[in-house]
Amino acid sequence: MAQAALRSCTSSGFASRVSRCTATVASANGRTVVSLRGEIDLDSVRPIADWLSAAIAHDDADIVVEMCDVTFIDSAGLCVLVRGAEFLERRGRPLTMRSPSSVVGRLLEICALSNLAEPAAANRPAVFASQVGDLGA
């Protein structure tokens, strides 16, 4: 399964806060699921792009990005996900954002990208996940 190095970053944003995002990658039902948790901002875009690239390169499975535990996302975070979706679309593969949190759902709606979202599934099969990264202190 795709592996990424542990990375830490500190935001240089207005509030000088520490940004934290984690990801796991798992395979289930012919799909590769990248589960993101925490804050997705300019500081976390590079590792997220690396995680998505590794998941895309791993096999030809559809890519699902689980978004239910994302507490913040800015335009840079959305951009890396949209670029991944566009890359896959040109190759006949979908990228779906599953179970977007209210924050993510609102941004998708504002940007007219709701078509990328898949609603929450009541009963998802259990998957075995491997931790691939952790950002933050």
Side-chain angles (χ1 to χ4, degrees), residues 22-42:
T22 60
T24 56
V25 177
S27 293
N29 299 329
R31 299 170 121 189
T32 299
V33 180
V34 179
S35 300
L36 300 175
R37 280 176 294 294
E39 298 178 1
I40 301 174
D41 57 17
L42 185 59

Side-chain angles (χ1 to χ4, degrees), residues 101-136:
S101 66
S102 60
V103 170
V104 175
R106 179 77 174 130
L107 185 59
L108 291 174
E109 184 179 320
I110 289 169
C111 295
L113 294 169
S114 297
N115 59 307
L116 294 176
E118 173 182 287
N123 296 309
R124 277 191 219 105
V127 295
F128 295 99
S130 61
Q131 186 76 23
V132 295
D134 187 4
L135 300 177

Side-chain angles (χ1 to χ4, degrees), residues 32-88:
T32 299
V33 180
V34 179
S35 300
L36 300 175
R37 280 176 294 294
E39 298 178 1
I40 301 174
D41 57 17
L42 185 59
D43 290 333
S44 59
V45 167
R46 176 70 184 241
I48 290 170
D50 291 346
W51 297 331
L52 277 176
S53 295
I56 290 167
H58 182 257
D59 58 30
D60 290 333
D62 295 348
I63 303 293
V64 177
V65 181
E66 180 68 55
M67 305 288 287
C68 65
D69 294 323
V70 173
T71 58
F72 175 83
I73 185 169
D74 66 7
S75 59
L78 182 60
C79 182
V80 75
L81 295 169
V82 169
R83 287 180 67 197
E86 290 171 346
F87 176 85
L88 286 168

